[in-house]
Amino acid sequence: MCGRYTITVSLEEILRTFSVDDVEYDYSKQFNIAPTQTVPAIVEWEGRRALQGFKWGLIPFWSKDTKIAYKTINARAEGIDKKPAFRHLLKGSRILIVSNGFYEWKQENEGKQPYRFQLESRGSFGFAGLYDIWRNEKGTEIRSSTIITTKPNRLVEEVHDRMPVILTGDTACKWLDPDLSETRHVLE
């Protein structure tokens, strides 16, 4: 599970790292991003990439209200293509949720201890994510997202049994590609 994360790099680094064309989000560094906050994410439409804001906690378009968002901050990669809230989003609603570190907690004698994980470069990366657009009865839209999680790598498994799917370079580009039909190999 990913319950908190950071994005503390400059906007210029994000634009350069992910070849962003348009900025449609009022970016500022954030050191403790929590569920239900609006977070920076990258979408690709018609060959252009945009940095936009999405509420963290997916609200499927078919939901009656926004309460489900607390239960859908993360989506397990295993079986994601079978879950009603996520399966239809794999085809054309993929995003990169921008980050440069995430927290996991480990139970120790003194209580829970947070650990922050980063790339060795300390640079930015993208979490594999999905988004949906929900509308209330008045037509107001909420763009919301979920972070896809997977089994932990050797470093994270000492602290937690899940971690976000981290994408960089070509893999991040593939995830955003609207023509990508088979997502399983990107999520593994």
Side-chain angles (χ1 to χ4, degrees), residues 20 32 54 59 91 94-95 108 128 135 142 168-169 179:
V20 173
N32 191 13
F54 291 81
I59 307 166
K91 292 199 186 319
R94 295 185 302 271
I95 59 175
E108 297 184 352
R135 291 172 184 83
I142 296 177
T168 59
D179 295 328

Side-chain angles (χ1 to χ4, degrees), residues 119-169:
L119 297 178
E120 282 187 42
S121 69
R122 298 185 185 219
S124 56
F125 53 84
F127 295 134
L130 300 173
Y131 76 92
D132 209 343
I133 300 173
W134 178 83
R135 291 172 184 83
N136 67 14
E137 63 280 350
K138 295 178 182 176
T140 303
E141 291 185 351
I142 296 177
R143 293 182 304 177
S144 61
S145 63
T146 189
I147 294 173
I148 300 174
T149 64
T150 190
K151 295 173 186 170
N153 62 24
R154 286 182 290 155
L155 181 64
V156 177
E157 75 182 352
E158 294 180 22
V159 177
H160 201 274
D161 64 345
R162 303 289 300 166
M163 67 177 280
V165 174
I166 296 171
L167 303 176
T168 59

Side-chain angles (χ1 to χ4, degrees), residues 11-30:
L11 176 60
E12 291 73 23
E13 179 180 326
I14 294 169
L15 301 180
R16 184 178 56 253
T17 300
F18 299 104
S19 301
V20 173
D21 300 301
D22 304 308
V23 178
E24 302 166 10
Y25 176 76
D26 188 17
Y27 176 77
S28 64
K29 296 177 181 181
Q30 298 177 350

Side-chain angles (χ1 to χ4, degrees), residues 57-72:
L58 190 80
I59 307 166
F61 75 92
W62 46 259
S63 182
K64 293 185 191 310
D65 57 43
T66 61
K67 294 177 187 172
I68 193 171
Y70 291 97
K71 298 176 185 173
T72 56

